[in-house]
C-alpha cells in the first residue's frame, strides 16, 4: 500500500551490494561494533550463513547472508572430521566477514565449527554458550559448578575454554586462550552496562529470522 | 619409486604426481684394480669375464605399468552473499531534528527509573505485510526488541505496561496504515501515546495530529502528560486567528484537535502554499474513536481524509457498529479503495487482517475480574401496558394508512415513542424499570459500591435523578457543560456519598475511566451493541477492583425485545469479520426489518441507523 521506496527513505536504508566482490573499505571507527556469525542447516538446501553487525545498543549496522552451500561427496570424504570447520569457518565465515564494511571489536558465534573463522580475522572469536543446565547425578542431586571450572570439561565441549562475562557464558578454543583476555578487554571498552545487560544469544534469533525471510523472498 | 602429494592452491584440493620414467642400461662388471692387494683377483676375475662365451650383464626394466591418475575435483565454488547496510537513526537528519525538539532530548527518565531497569521481555517489531522489499523487511526483523529500543531512549513509564500493550506498540510502530481496535479498557490511548513517543525519539516522526471527540481532548492531554511527559503537546482551540496560528506553528510535536474543529478549519487544512505544498501537513494523523468517520460522505470524513499526512492510524473499540460500511469508511481514511462495501464479511476479515489489531479483555486480561451480564426481563406495569397498546395501535394504523408514503423517519418516531413508554408511562409516570432499579441501588449503596445508569434520553435521566436522589446521584450528559464534566467524574470517584452516575450513551460512551464503579445498568437499549459495549467498558477496564455486573433492562413483549434480537445479529456480524468465523446472518438492519418490527411492509434496501 505504501510505496516501499518511501519506506526505505523513511528508514534510511541503503543496500551496499547484493552480490559482488569483497568490500575492503573498513570503517576505522568501528571498535564498538559487534559481529554475530551463525550458520543454519536446512535439510533440503544445505547451509545458510548469516553475519550481523550490531552497535552497542543492539541496533543493526550491517547484515550479510549467503546463498545455501552443500558439501559434495568428495569434500565429505576428503575433509573428514574437518569438514564442518571448513564449511562454517572458511567457506561461509570468511566469505561473510570479508564482505563486511565494519570491522568488529569481536565476533560471536553460536556454532562451534564456526570458531575456525578465527584464522581469517584479526578480531577474537568467541562461542556463545546458552543457559547451562546444572548437571544432575543419578540420585537426582543437583551440583552447581562455579563459572571458573565450567570450561574444564563437560557442557562447553572438548577443547574449549569457557568463561563468564556479565550475563553471558562464552568459550574460546583452548589453543586460542589469549582470545579470552582479548574479548574481556574489548567488552570492558564498551559502555559500562553492556556486559551486564546485553544478551549475546538474542541476535542469533534475529539472524535466523532474517535468513528465513531472505529465503522466502527467493521462493 | 615414490610419488608425492602436493597441495594445490588453485583447485582447493590435491593432485598426484607420477614417479620418473623407467630406464634400461648396460652394466660393465669388470673390476678396475685399484691397488696391488686386489689386482691379482681382479685380473683373474676380468679374465674369466672375457672368456667365451663371456658375460654381458644387461639390466633392463620391464615396460612399466603406468599408474592411472584419477583426479577428484573437490572444488571451492564461490559463495554468493547478499549484503545490507543500515543507517543508524542517529545519523539521520530526522533524528537530529527530533533531538532539537524542545523538551524532547534526554528527558525521558522523568519521574521514574529508566525503562531498562523496569522492563523485561522481548517484543519484536514485525514488518507489515505491505512492506514488500526484502531490505525493508529486514530492517524491521533485525531490530532489537521493543523493550531494548525503549531502553535505548531511556524512556520511563509511570506504570509497568502489560505485554499485550507492548505488542500493540510493536504493531503500530512500523505501520503507515493501521487500526488499533482493542476492546475498550485495554489502553489504546497509552499504546498510541507510547508509539508516538518512540517514533519521535527515534526521529521517524516530527509532527503528529491526534483527532478525538471534543469531550476527550482533556483526557488525551492528561494521557500524554502521564505517558510521554517530555513530548510537547498543543491543543488546537480558540478563535479562528489563534487556530490558524496554531496549525502552522512549527516545532510542535503533537497537536490535539476535535472533529468539529477540523470541520471549521477545513479551508485552511485543504490549502496549499505558492509552491503547491499543503499549508498544514503531518507525519502522522491518528483518529481516536474513528467510527466518527464511518460515513464516507460526511463532512468530517472528507476533511479528515484531506489532511496531508504520511501515516494514518485509526483507534476504535468498535470498528463495526452497524454494517461493513463502517469499516469501509474507516479504511477510506487509511487506504482509499482498499475495501469495498460489496465484500463479504469473511473476505473482508482476511483482507484487513494485517492492518487491524483487535484484542479483547478475555484474550489478554485473564486476571481482569469478569463482566457479568444479567438481563432483567420485566413486564410493563398495567398502566404502561395500556399506554403502550394504545400508542402501538395508533402508530401502526397511521403507518398502514400512509402506505407507500411511510418513511423510515415515521417508523423511527414510533419506535422512540414506544421505547419511552417502556421507560415511563406518560400518563401516570409509572415505571417498572425504575422500581427494579431502585431496589438494586439500595443494595449497592448499602454495600458502599457505585453504579452507572445509561439511557439514551436526557429527559429520562432527569426523571431518574429526581427519583433516585437519596442514593447520591450525579449527571453526565449533553446538557452538562463540557467544562464541568471532569469535576463530575472526580466527585463520583472521590465522594463516598455519591453512588449513582446517570449518563447518556452519547456523552459517557467513550474515553472515560470509571473503573471504580462495579455496576452498570442499561436502562434502555441503544441501536447497536458496540455503543452499549463502550458504555459498559467505562467501568470494566484495567484497574477495576472486582467483577462488573451489567444489568440490561428489557420489557417483555415490547419493541425492546424485538430490537434485542437485532442487536444480537449485529454482534454476530462483528464476530464474523474479526474472528473469520462463517456466518450466514444478514449484515445489518434493513428497512424491511425495521418495518417488520410492526409487521408492516415497505420497499427494501439497506439503511444506516444512527449510532
Amino acid at each position: 500500500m505504501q510505496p516501499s521506496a518511501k519506506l526505505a527513505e523513511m528508514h534510511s536504508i541503503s543496500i551496499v551490494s547484493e552480490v559482488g566482490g569483497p568490500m575492503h573499505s573498513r570503517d576505522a571507527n568501528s571498535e564498538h561494533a559487534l559481529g554475530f556469525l551463525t550458520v543454519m542447516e536446512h535439510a533440503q538446501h544445505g547451509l545458510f550463513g548469516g553475519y550481523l553487525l550490531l552497535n552497542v545498543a543492539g541496533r543493526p549496522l550491517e547484515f550479510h547472508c549467503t546463498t545455501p552451500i552443500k558439501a559434495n561427496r568428495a569434500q565429505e570424504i576428503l575433509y573428514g572430521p574437518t569438514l564442518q570447520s571448513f564449511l562454517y569457518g572458511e567457506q561461509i565465515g570468511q566469505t561473510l566477514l570479508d564482505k563486511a564494511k565494519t570491522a568488529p571489536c569481536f565476533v560471536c558465534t553460536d556454532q562451534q565449527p564456526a570458531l575456525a573463522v578465527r584464522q581469517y580475522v584479526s578480531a577474537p572469536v568467541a562461542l556463545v554458550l546458552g543457559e547451562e543446565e546444572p548437571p544432575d547425578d543419578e540420585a537426582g542431586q543437583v551440583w552447581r559448578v562455579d563459572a571458573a571450572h565450567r570450561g574444564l570439561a563437560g557442557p562447553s565441549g572438548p577443547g574449549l575454554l569457557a568463561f563468564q562475562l556479565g550475563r553471558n557464558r562464552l568459550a574460546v578454543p583452548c589453543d586460542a586462550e589469549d582470545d579470552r583476555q582479548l574479548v574481556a578487554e574489548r567488552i570492558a571498552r564498551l559502555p559500562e552496562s553492556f556486559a551486564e545487560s546485553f544478551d549475546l544469544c538474542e541476535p542469533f534469533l534475529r539472524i535466523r529470522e532474517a535468513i528465513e525471510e531472505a529465503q522466502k523472498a527467493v521462493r | 619409486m615414490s610419488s608425492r602429494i602436493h597441495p594445490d592452491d588453485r583447485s582447493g584440493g590435491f593432485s598426484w604426481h607420477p614417479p620418473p620414467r623407467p630406464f634400461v642400461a648396460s652394466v660393465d662388471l669388470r673390476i678396475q684394480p685399484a691397488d696391488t692387494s686386489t689386482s691379482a683377483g681382479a685380473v683373474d676375475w676380468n679374465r674369466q669375464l672375457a672368456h667365451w662365451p663371456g658375460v654381458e650383464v644387461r639390466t633392463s626394466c620391464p615396460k612399466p605399468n603406468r599408474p592411472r591418475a584419477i583426479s577428484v575435483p573437490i572444488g571451492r565454488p564461490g559463495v554468493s552473499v547478499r549484503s545490507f547496510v543500515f543507517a543508524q537513526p542517529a545519523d539521520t537528519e530526522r533524528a537530529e531534528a527530533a533531538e532539537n525538539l524542545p523538551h524532547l532530548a534526554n528527558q525521558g527518565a522523568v519521574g521514574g527509573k529508566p525503562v531498562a531497569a523496569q522492563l523485561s521481555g522481548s517484543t519484536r517489531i514485525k514488518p507489515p505485510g505491505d512492506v514488500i522489499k526484502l531490505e525493508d523487511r529486514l530492517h524491521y526483523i533485525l531490530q532489537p526488541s521493543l523493550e531494548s529500543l525503549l531502553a535505548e531512549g531511556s524512556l520511563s513509564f509511570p506504570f509497568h505496561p502489560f505485554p499485550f500493550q507492548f505488542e500493540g506498540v510493536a504493531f503500530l510502530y512500523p505501520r503507515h496504515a493501521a487500526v488499533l481496535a482493542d476492546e475498550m479498557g485495554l489502553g489504546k490511548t497509552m499504546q498510541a501515546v507510547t508509539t508516538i513517543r518512540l517514533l519521535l525519539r527515534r526521529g521517524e516522526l516530527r509532527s503528529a495530529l491526534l483527532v478525538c471527540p471534543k469531550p476527550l481532548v482533556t483526557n488525551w492531554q492528561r494521557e500524554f502528560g502521564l505517558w510521554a511527559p517530555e513530548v510537547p503537546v498543543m491543543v488546537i482551540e480558540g478563535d479562528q486567528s489563534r487556530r490558524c496560528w496554531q496549525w502552522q506553528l512549527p516545532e510542535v510535536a503533537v497537536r490535539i484537535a476535535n472533529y468539529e474543529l477540523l470541520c471549521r478549519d477545513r479551508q485552511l487544512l485543504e490549502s496549499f502554499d505558492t509552491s503547491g505544498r499543503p499549508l498544514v501537513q503531518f507525519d502522522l494523523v491518528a483518529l481516536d474513536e474513528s467510527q466518527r468517520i464511518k460515513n464516507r460522505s460526511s463532512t468530517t470524513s472528507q476533511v479528515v481524509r484531506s489532511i496531508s499526512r504520511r501515516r494514518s492510524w485509526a483507534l476504535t473499540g468498535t470498528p463495526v457498529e452497524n454494517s461493513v460500511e463502517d469499516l469501509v469508511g474507516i479504511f477510506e481514511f487509511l487506504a482509499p479503495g482498499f475495501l469495498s462495501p460489496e465484500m463479504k464479511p469473511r473476505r473482508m476479515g482476511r483482507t484487513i487482517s494485517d492492518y487491524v489489531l483487535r484484542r479483547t479483555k478475555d484474550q489478554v486480561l485473564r486476571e481482569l475480574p469478569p463482566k457479568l451480564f444479567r438481563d432483567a426481563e420485566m413486564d410493563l406495569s398495567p398502566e404502561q401496558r395500556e399506554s403502550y397498546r394504545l400508542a402501538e395501535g395508533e402508530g401502526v394504523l397511521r403507518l398502514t394508512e400512509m402506505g407507500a408514503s411511510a418513511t423510515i423517519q415515521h417508523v423511527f418516531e414510533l419506535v422512540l415513542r414506544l421505547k419511552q413508554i417502556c421507560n415511563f408511562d406518560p400518563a401516570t409516570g409509572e415505571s417498572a424499570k425504575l422500581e427494579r432499579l431502585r431496589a438494586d441501588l439500595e443494595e449497592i449503596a448499602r454495600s458502599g459500591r457505585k453504579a452507572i445508569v445509561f439511557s439514551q434520553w436526557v429527559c429520562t435521566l432527569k426523571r431518574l435523578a429526581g427519583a433516585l436522589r437519596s442514593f447520591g446521584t450525579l449527571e453526565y450528559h449533553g446538557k452538562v457543560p463540557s467544562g464541568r464534566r471532569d469535576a463530575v467524574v472526580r466527585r463520583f470517584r472521590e465522594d463516598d456519598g455519591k453512588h449513582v452516575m446517570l449518563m447518556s450513551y452519547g456523552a459517557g460512551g467513550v474515553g472515560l475511566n470509571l473503573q471504580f464503579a462495579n455496576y452498570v445498568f442499561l436502562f434502555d437499549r441503544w441501536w447497536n451493541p458496540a455503543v452499549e459495549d463502550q458504555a459498559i467498558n467505562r467501568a470494566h477496564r484495567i484497574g477495576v477492583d472486582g467483577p462488573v455486573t451489567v444489568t440490561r433492562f428489557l420489557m417483555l413483549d415490547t419493541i425492546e425485545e424485538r430490537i434485542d434480537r437485532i442487536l444480537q445479529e449485529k454482534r454476530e456480524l462483528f464476530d464474523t469479520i474479526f474472528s473469520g468465523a462463517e456466518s450466514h446472518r444478514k449484515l445489518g438492519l434493513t428497512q424491511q426489518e425495521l418495518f417488520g418490527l410492526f409487521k408492516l411492509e415497505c420497499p427494501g434496501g439497506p439503511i444506516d441507523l444512527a449510532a
Side-chain angles (χ1 to χ4, degrees):
Chain A
M1 187 180 301
Q2 296 290 336
S4 294
K6 203 181 225 182
L7 189 80
E9 185 267 325
M10 178 88 179
H11 297 291
S12 306
I13 299 170
S14 59
I15 307 169
V16 167
S17 75
E18 294 209 344
V19 180
M23 289 173 262
H24 295 294
S25 58
R26 299 284 173 121
D27 181 355
N29 300 317
S30 58
E31 58 182 34
H32 286 178
L34 287 74
F36 292 86
L37 171 70
T38 194
V39 178
M40 275 173 75
E41 188 160 4
H42 188 282
Q44 189 186 350
H45 297 107
L47 300 172
F48 291 87
Y51 180 52
L52 177 63
L53 276 151
L54 300 179
N55 67 12
V56 286
R59 298 187 61 81
L61 299 170
E62 296 180 39
F63 177 66
H64 308 271
C65 59
T66 67
T67 50
I69 62 164
K70 249 182 177 174
N72 59 34
R73 185 67 187 134
Q75 285 172 323
E76 283 174 4
I77 294 167
L78 294 168
Y79 281 92
T82 66
L83 179 67
Q84 268 200 319
S85 300
F86 167 69
L87 294 173
Y88 284 48
E90 190 177 331
Q91 282 275 81
I92 292 174
Q94 186 191 5
T95 308
L96 286 171
L97 267 65
D98 275 351
K99 286 281 183 187
K101 194 178 173 187
T102 310
C105 63
F106 65 93
V107 176
C108 295
T109 180
D110 61 348
Q111 304 285 334
Q112 189 173 338
L115 287 171
V117 79
R118 177 65 178 99
Q119 57 189 301
Y120 308 105
V121 291
S122 55
V125 182
L127 177 68
V128 181
L129 303 170
E131 292 293 318
E132 189 182 12
E133 294 287 329
D136 293 1
D137 71 1
E138 285 178 1
Q141 176 69 51
V142 176
W143 297 93
R144 297 196 179 278
V145 181
D146 64 278
H149 292 86
R150 279 178 194 153
L152 299 179
S156 53
L160 289 177
L161 183 66
F163 56 101
Q164 193 84 22
L165 270 179
R167 63 181 291 187
N168 300 292
R169 254 185 99 229
L170 304 173
V172 293
C174 289
D175 56 8
E177 195 179 345
D178 291 348
D179 276 2
R180 173 181 169 169
Q181 185 62 27
L182 218 47
V183 170
E185 280 172 9
R186 296 193 178 186
I187 283 187
R189 277 188 234 151
L190 299 176
E192 201 173 324
S193 61
F194 175 85
E196 287 302 321
S197 65
F198 200 94
D199 177 9
L200 292 174
C201 288
E202 184 274 332
F204 296 111
L205 299 175
R206 290 190 240 172
I207 299 177
R208 289 193 181 89
E209 255 186 75
I211 290 175
E212 279 167 14
E213 191 70 31
Q215 259 187 284
K216 273 192 262 174
V218 171
R219 275 185 223 138
Chain B
M1 289 194 300
S2 68
S3 63
R4 289 192 302 161
I5 295 176
H6 299 279
D8 185 337
D9 290 339
R10 286 168 304 169
S11 68
F14 298 89
S15 62
W16 183 77
H17 295 264
R21 292 169 62 86
F23 61 93
V24 178
S26 295
V27 177
D28 185 357
L29 296 176
R30 287 175 302 177
I31 297 171
Q32 300 299 327
D35 53 52
T36 51
S37 62
T38 58
S39 61
V43 169
D44 187 48
W45 167 259
N46 290 341
R47 191 179 301 125
Q48 289 299 323
L49 284 177
H51 196 268
W52 186 90
V55 176
E56 185 185 2
V57 179
R58 295 178 72 90
T59 304
S60 70
C61 288
K63 190 177 179 183
N65 290 326
R66 296 188 63 179
R68 290 173 59 198
I70 301 169
S71 297
V72 182
I74 298 173
R76 280 191 59 174
V79 181
S80 295
V81 176
R82 293 195 74 176
S83 298
F84 307 89
V85 175
F86 306 97
Q88 292 186 75
D91 298 336
T92 67
E93 191 184 321
R94 276 185 293 279
E96 286 164 15
E99 292 297 315
N100 291 332
L101 279 174
H103 313 300
L104 198 59
N106 304 319
Q107 293 184 21
V110 175
K113 286 194 224 169
V115 78
Q118 300 176 22
L119 299 178
S120 59
S122 54
T123 310
R124 300 293 305 281
I125 297 171
K126 292 182 179 165
D130 61 355
V131 174
I132 304 297
K133 289 175 70 180
L134 176 60
E135 52 268 35
D136 295 351
R137 297 186 69 77
L138 291 182
H139 169 76
Y140 292 115
I141 288 170
L142 292 170
Q143 294 300 322
S145 68
L146 179 64
E147 288 83 352
S148 300
L149 289 176
L150 292 167
E152 188 189 342
S154 299
L155 300 177
S156 66
F157 292 111
F159 314 108
H160 199 299
F162 288 93
F164 75 85
Q165 291 176 321
F166 280 124
E167 283 165 19
V169 175
F171 167 79
L172 285 176
Y173 184 87
R175 277 174 171 74
H176 283 220
V179 183
L180 184 58
D182 284 347
E183 190 183 2
M184 287 71 73
L186 292 183
K188 288 189 289 294
T189 307
M190 170 269 165
Q191 294 172 59
V193 169
T194 302
T195 313
I196 290 171
R197 186 188 194 195
L198 189 57
L199 286 167
L200 283 166
R201 180 54 67 102
R202 306 236 3 104
E204 295 184 29
L205 198 73
R206 276 187 296 186
S207 60
L209 172 64
L210 190 287
V211 187
C212 63
K214 193 175 178 186
L216 300 186
V217 168
T218 51
N219 189 57
W220 272 96
Q221 245 184 316
R222 194 170 52 244
E223 294 289 318
F224 267 104
L226 187 65
W227 292 99
E230 78 281 11
V231 173
V233 175
M234 172 183 280
V235 176
I236 307 287
E237 59 191 352
D239 59 28
Q240 194 175 10
S241 60
R242 177 181 162 81
R243 296 201 306 272
C244 183
W245 170 74
Q246 286 181 315
W247 280 119
Q248 297 180 75
L249 200 62
E251 304 298 323
V252 176
V254 176
R255 288 174 174 83
I256 301 175
N258 66 63
Y259 285 101
E260 295 77 14
L261 192 143
L262 284 191
C263 296
R264 289 212 294 277
D265 292 342
R266 179 176 193 169
Q267 196 177 358
L268 176 70
L269 293 170
E270 295 178 351
S271 299
F272 296 86
D273 63 16
T274 50
S275 60
R277 289 191 310 181
L279 270 181
V280 178
Q281 52 186 330
F282 298 96
D283 292 326
L284 163 70
V285 174
L287 306 182
D288 186 24
E289 304 299 345
S290 61
Q291 65 272 23
R292 289 284 290 264
I293 60 160
K294 65 185 181 183
N295 181 355
R296 283 172 288 164
S297 58
S298 70
T299 307
T300 306
S301 173
Q302 289 168 9
V303 176
V304 163
R305 276 153 40 201
S306 71
I307 300 172
S308 176
R309 63 200 185 275
R310 299 175 68 175
R311 290 177 182 240
S312 309
W313 295 347
L315 314 177
T316 175
T318 54
V320 173
E321 286 187 332
N322 286 306
S323 71
V324 293
E325 291 255 6
D326 301 347
L327 203 56
V328 176
I330 292 172
F331 267 81
E332 279 302 291
F333 163 70
L334 300 173
F338 191 65
L339 295 184
S340 75
E342 291 75 34
M343 278 183 173
K344 295 248 183 319
R346 199 177 176 194
R347 185 180 158 214
M348 189 175 278
R350 282 198 304 269
T351 307
I352 63 171
S353 61
D354 192 56
Y355 296 89
V356 180
L357 182 63
R358 163 88 182 167
R359 282 86 54 92
T360 62
K361 289 178 198 164
D362 293 342
Q363 291 169 329
V364 296
L365 279 184
R366 295 186 189 282
E367 68 277 20
L368 195 69
K371 190 163 51 180
L372 308 171
F373 285 94
R374 56 175 183 169
D375 286 335
E377 296 176 344
M378 291 167 276
D379 283 314
L380 294 169
S381 71
E383 292 82 359
Q384 277 179 294
R385 176 61 68 191
E386 183 58 20
S387 298
Y388 187 92
R389 193 184 61 76
L390 282 171
E392 186 176 40
E394 283 172 14
V396 171
L397 184 64
R398 185 162 163 258
L399 288 170
T400 308
E401 286 171 355
M402 291 173 80
S405 64
T407 66
I408 200 70
Q409 194 58 38
H410 294 119
V411 182
F412 261 129
E413 283 169 15
L414 178 56
V415 171
L416 293 177
R417 171 94 182 113
L418 296 177
K419 284 184 72 179
Q420 283 177 328
I421 294 172
C422 289
N423 284 356
F424 289 97
D425 176 42
T428 63
E430 283 276 324
S431 171
K433 288 183 184 178
L434 175 62
E435 294 312 309
R436 169 67 188 265
L437 178 63
R438 187 181 277 128
D440 283 357
L441 287 178
E442 276 172 10
E443 192 180 326
I444 291 167
R446 269 203 305 273
S447 64
R449 300 283 186 174
K450 293 175 191 280
I452 311 167
V453 180
F454 281 96
S455 170
Q456 73 179 102
W457 289 291
V458 173
C459 61
T460 297
L461 295 172
K462 290 277 183 197
R463 293 182 84 156
L464 289 174
L468 303 171
R469 188 167 293 119
S470 60
F471 299 109
T473 55
L474 290 164
E475 294 177 49
Y476 192 103
H477 46 67
K479 294 283 167 60
V480 178
S482 55
R484 280 181 45 204
R485 291 184 188 179
D486 284 350
V488 172
V489 172
R490 198 164 47 248
R491 189 159 182 215
F492 185 46
R493 181 173 57 236
E494 294 167 1
D495 189 338
D496 292 339
K498 299 295 180 188
H499 294 286
V500 183
M501 175 80 96
L502 301 166
M503 281 190 149
S504 65
Y505 284 104
V510 292
L512 285 170
N513 298 328
L514 303 173
Q515 57 271 63
F516 43 90
N518 292 97
Y519 294 87
V520 174
F521 292 89
L522 306 184
F523 197 74
D524 45 56
R525 309 293 299 277
W526 193 252
W527 294 108
N528 68 61
V531 172
E532 289 190 345
D533 285 345
Q534 280 188 324
I536 293 163
N537 284 305
R538 296 305 100 218
H540 190 249
R541 57 200 304 121
I542 296 167
V544 66
D545 64 352
V548 172
T549 304
V550 182
T551 307
R552 299 184 290 203
F553 287 165
L554 191 68
M555 305 313 285
L556 292 169
D557 197 22
T558 67
I559 191 78
E560 288 192 335
E561 199 175 20
R562 282 169 262 167
I563 290 174
D564 184 60
R565 281 199 296 270
I566 296 170
L567 293 184
Q568 188 55 39
E569 289 182 0
K570 289 188 175 186
R571 281 186 195 280
E572 286 166 11
L573 165 69
F574 191 96
D575 291 344
T576 302
I577 294 175
F578 292 102
S579 69
E582 187 67 84
S583 171
H584 301 289
R585 297 275 180 172
K586 290 171 185 167
L587 301 186
L589 199 63
T590 63
Q591 281 196 31
Q592 188 63 49
E593 285 168 331
L594 197 66
F595 275 77
L597 291 171
F598 303 103
K599 299 188 173 65
L600 295 171
E601 289 191 1
C602 84
I607 58 164
D608 183 18
L609 283 183

